[in-house]
Amino acid sequence: MAGGIVVDVVKSYQAYFAGQWQNSESKETLDIRSPWRHEVIGSVQSVTKNEVDKAIESAHEVQEDWANLSLTQRGQYLDRWADEINKDVNNLAMAVMDEVGKNFDDAKKEVLRTVDLIHYTVQEALHMNGQSMRGDGFPGGSKDKVGIITRVPLGTVLAISPFNYPINLSAAKIAPALMAGNTVIFKPATQGSICGIKMIEAFDRAGFPAGVLSLLTGRGSIIGDYLTEHQGINMISFTGSTKTGQHLSEKSIMIPLVLELGGKDPAIVCENADLDRTAKNIVSGAYAYSGQRCTAVKRVLVNDKVADQLVEKLEPLVESLKVGSPAEGNDIVPLIDDKAADFVQGLIDDAVTKGATLITGSTRNGNLLAPTLLDNVTPDMDIAWVEPFGPVLPIIRVHSNEEAVKIANESDFGLQASVFTQDIDEALEISRGVEAGTVQVNGRPSRGPDNFPFLGVKASGLGTQGVHNSILSMSREKLTVLNLK
Ligand code: NAP
Ligand code: G3H
């Protein structure tokens, strides 16, 4: 209170350097605005290159000791971390809702999914075993040679996460990296940093040895290249846009890189699809969290014999979506910022100008866009190819399955695809033809369950995530040969 006036003090969050919460020596902070409260909800540190050096140095100092703990001991730390997150679930879900505008139920699901993911990662690592090989299995080999293959950590892993799953996609990198015996430098998305900090507060409460993880906040455009090119980084696990991912792959030299990037997932609807089931999956797939999911349905390729019927079923479902504040449990919430909303609006306007039929939507209030459905979209429209990351779904009518597969594959992206048909042979044939990391039959594209491999091809990624594969990608094989005679 100053002179009778209440002064709102916005919390300034510290970065986490080797077990210590500290302000940056830069004395610079970045304001974080809530995308739907439209006010600053906190500020985070803008760390310096010198601080990056120190954090990476301490990560290396403790890495060997961390790797020398038994798997069970490492797992106990991670289980405690998951338990701390679980105890704080509502607070963390509120942070997700505030900072990235996910509705509370979905935010809470993200946090609980993370608790499960960490516990599962511990169990998976505990149950992964090495291998032994006989030396006489190759011409000229000898049974007196026995190969023992174990997995060893890579060193220090750089984990860079996107805004849209600020808790889950961060932990999905940190947990396998630590279980594999690495130390971690965690750089959250700037819009998502407060969630990352709160998750690492839970990590701190779990009592990990200092230096095992540092959380460095700051704009990717300022410290990203320095982190990526740093000699002390031994592996990078990145999730984000294709543009940033491609930039990272140009900057990083001779170190393993896993990239999970953008998508343009098609829903291919065949002539004999169950259209009610199809429509429900398409609508929840396209519009959940306002389409801000890499795995959102981002185009429909429908056989023109059933296109009118499908559109008739989609329209009321889209119009029944609740639009507004995430605090009121709405399906369609404000996009992450005005720039994102302008981008989506531009794609809609371009399509309508070029002759697409607007079935519903295209109204706007700031960064809150109504769910928009466009029919008769053609290849000359940007919306046919570009990832909008917003609540708009283009429908492209096709004459055959072959044409659907051809258009699906003409995209630069190849994350997931869905096929809707009641004929399993037809589903399998389309699945064989589509270039994507995953093909879903009669279901919407989706990353989970998190024990499944998750990958994109072409511009959608490099390498594979999912709990088991992440542990593999964050470790390498080490062969010891016993020469018996
Ligand atoms: P983004 O803008 O590419 O940012 C992702 C992360 O990269 C952020 O932490 C960002 O930091 C950082 N970054 C920016 N420039 C960097 C640089 N030069 N070096 C190193 N890091 C840098 O992506 P986003 O907007 O957060 O997320 C949306 C995109 O991610 C969509 O395209 C979506 O499809 C994709 N995504 C893919 C998956 C998947 O698993 N395939 C999952 C989720 C999201 P700042 O925030 O500080 O800029
Ligand atoms: O945004 C990209 C996420 O990996 C999507 O995850 O399919 O569970 O929503 P999800």
Side-chain angles (χ1 to χ4, degrees):
M1 192 89 104
I5 299 167
V6 176
V7 180
D8 268 343
V9 180
V10 172
K11 181 164 179 181
S12 173
Y13 292 88
Q14 296 181 311
Y16 189 65
F17 298 101
Q20 295 291 324
W21 292 101
Q22 284 174 25
N23 290 332
S24 168
E25 63 193 10
S26 72
K27 301 197 183 335
E28 282 175 25
T29 55
L30 303 168
D31 281 348
I32 307 295
R33 289 179 70 79
S34 168
W36 57 280
R37 285 168 45 192
H38 302 295
E39 60 188 17
V40 176
I41 54 171
S43 63
V44 299
Q45 307 298 310
S46 184
V47 306
T48 63
K49 290 179 179 173
N50 180 41
E51 287 166 332
V52 168
D53 290 344
K54 282 194 200 153
I56 294 176
E57 200 178 305
S58 61
H60 280 282
E61 274 166 19
V62 300
Q63 190 268 324
E64 204 176 314
D65 286 348
W66 174 250
N68 280 337
L69 292 180
S70 71
L71 258 183
T72 308
Q73 286 170 316
R74 292 206 295 275
Q76 283 164 349
Y77 282 109
L78 272 96
D79 280 333
R80 278 208 295 274
W81 178 31
D83 292 342
E84 288 296 330
I85 292 176
N86 204 11
K87 278 187 216 159
D88 209 19
V89 57
N90 287 328
N91 182 23
L92 282 164
M94 285 296 285
V96 173
M97 186 173 84
D98 262 6
E99 192 176 13
V100 303
K102 204 170 271 192
N103 75 40
F104 187 76
D105 285 353
D106 287 348
K108 194 164 174 176
K109 274 188 211 147
E110 172 175 348
V111 179
L112 292 174
R113 175 179 181 179
T114 306
V115 172
D116 290 340
L117 182 139
I118 297 171
H119 285 312
Y120 187 96
T121 304
V122 170
Q123 288 305 313
E124 183 68 17
L126 290 176
H127 292 93
M128 281 168 74
N129 285 299
Q131 200 190 353
S132 71
M133 288 181 86
R134 307 156 47 119
D136 60 349
F138 190 82
S142 157
K143 67 177 186 312
D144 295 329
K145 277 187 185 292
V146 177
I148 301 172
I149 302 152
T150 53
R151 294 200 78 85
V152 294
L154 299 175
T156 295
V157 168
L158 171 61
I160 305 181
S161 50
F163 80 82
N164 65 335
Y165 274 93
I167 301 276
N168 182 264
L169 280 172
S170 304
K173 302 174 187 320
I174 296 169
L178 292 176
M179 279 313 288
N182 302 286
T183 50
V184 175
I185 300 295
F186 167 38
K187 150 63 191 117
T190 296
Q191 189 81 37
S193 297
I194 296 177
C195 296
I197 287 167
K198 286 181 183 279
M199 182 180 71
I200 298 309
E201 285 171 356
F203 182 95
D204 191 37
R205 291 195 294 277
F208 281 81
V212 159
L213 176 141
S214 288
L215 178 159
L216 306 182
T217 48
R219 295 244 177 256
S221 52
I222 310 281
I223 55 162
D225 288 357
Y226 191 69
L227 278 164
T228 304
E229 293 176 321
H230 203 289
Q231 294 294 308
I233 294 297
N234 307 109
M235 187 269 173
I236 302 176
S237 175
F238 171 84
T239 302
S241 64
T242 295
K243 186 172 168 231
T244 312
Q246 283 173 344
H247 178 78
L248 249 74
S249 77
E250 283 164 20
K251 291 280 168 191
S252 68
I253 298 169
M254 289 285 285
I255 59 164
L257 193 59
V258 171
L259 302 173
E260 294 297 345
L261 310 176
K264 187 72 183 169
D265 295 0
I268 298 177
V269 184
C270 302
E271 199 180 335
N272 71 353
D274 171 342
L275 292 182
D276 287 310
R277 179 174 175 180
T278 303
K280 267 191 216 143
N281 273 280
I282 287 178
V283 170
S284 81
Y287 298 100
Y289 186 37
S290 291
Q292 297 174 115
R293 294 167 53 245
C294 58
T295 48
V297 174
K298 293 184 181 132
R299 51 194 170 137
V300 173
L301 304 173
V302 57
N303 188 299
D304 50 16
K305 294 197 187 72
V306 293
D308 286 343
Q309 282 167 271
L310 181 71
V311 172
E312 265 171 40
K313 289 182 189 295
L314 289 173
E315 184 179 353
L317 289 178
V318 176
E319 286 178 346
S320 70
L321 292 168
K322 291 184 290 149
V323 182
S325 155
E328 287 150 11
N330 287 299
D331 310 303
I332 302 294
V333 291
L335 294 186
I336 198 67
D337 55 29
D338 289 342
K339 198 171 144 211
D342 290 344
F343 181 67
V344 178
Q345 187 69 60
L347 291 172
I348 296 169
D349 294 346
D350 171 74
V352 172
T353 308
K354 289 177 179 159
T357 312
L358 176 65
I359 302 293
T360 184
S362 193
T363 54
R364 176 174 176 185
N365 178 7
N367 59 339
L368 179 62
L369 267 65
T372 299
L373 185 63
L374 296 168
D375 196 2
N376 298 306
V377 168
T378 48
D380 56 319
M381 302 172 188
D382 290 344
I383 192 73
W385 309 110
V386 174
E387 179 186 45
F389 231 55
V392 54
L393 180 63
I395 298 173
I396 300 170
R397 294 172 177 235
V398 296
H399 304 303
S400 64
N401 292 347
E402 291 69 33
E403 189 186 356
V405 170
K406 181 171 169 287
I407 295 175
N409 291 346
E410 276 167 5
S411 166
D412 291 338
F413 295 106
L415 190 57
Q416 296 207 351
S418 291
V419 182
F420 293 93
T421 170
Q422 296 183 74
D423 178 344
I424 187 66
D425 291 334
E426 186 174 40
L428 292 176
E429 194 183 332
I430 292 174
S431 173
R432 264 197 302 275
V434 171
E435 293 163 5
T438 302
V439 177
Q440 306 268 351
V441 178
N442 293 323
R444 69 179 214 177
S446 170
R447 171 163 51 105
D450 294 336
N451 60 333
F452 282 9
F454 180 60
L455 68 155
V457 300
K458 303 198 287 186
S460 289
L462 190 71
T464 306
Q465 289 201 98
V467 173
H468 182 82
N469 291 84
S470 293
I471 297 171
L472 290 182
S473 68
M474 292 170 172
S475 57
R476 64 181 164 78
E477 285 168 318
K478 170 93 182 257
L479 171 67
T480 304
V481 180
L482 297 183
N483 290 280
L484 302 177
K485 277 191 196 155

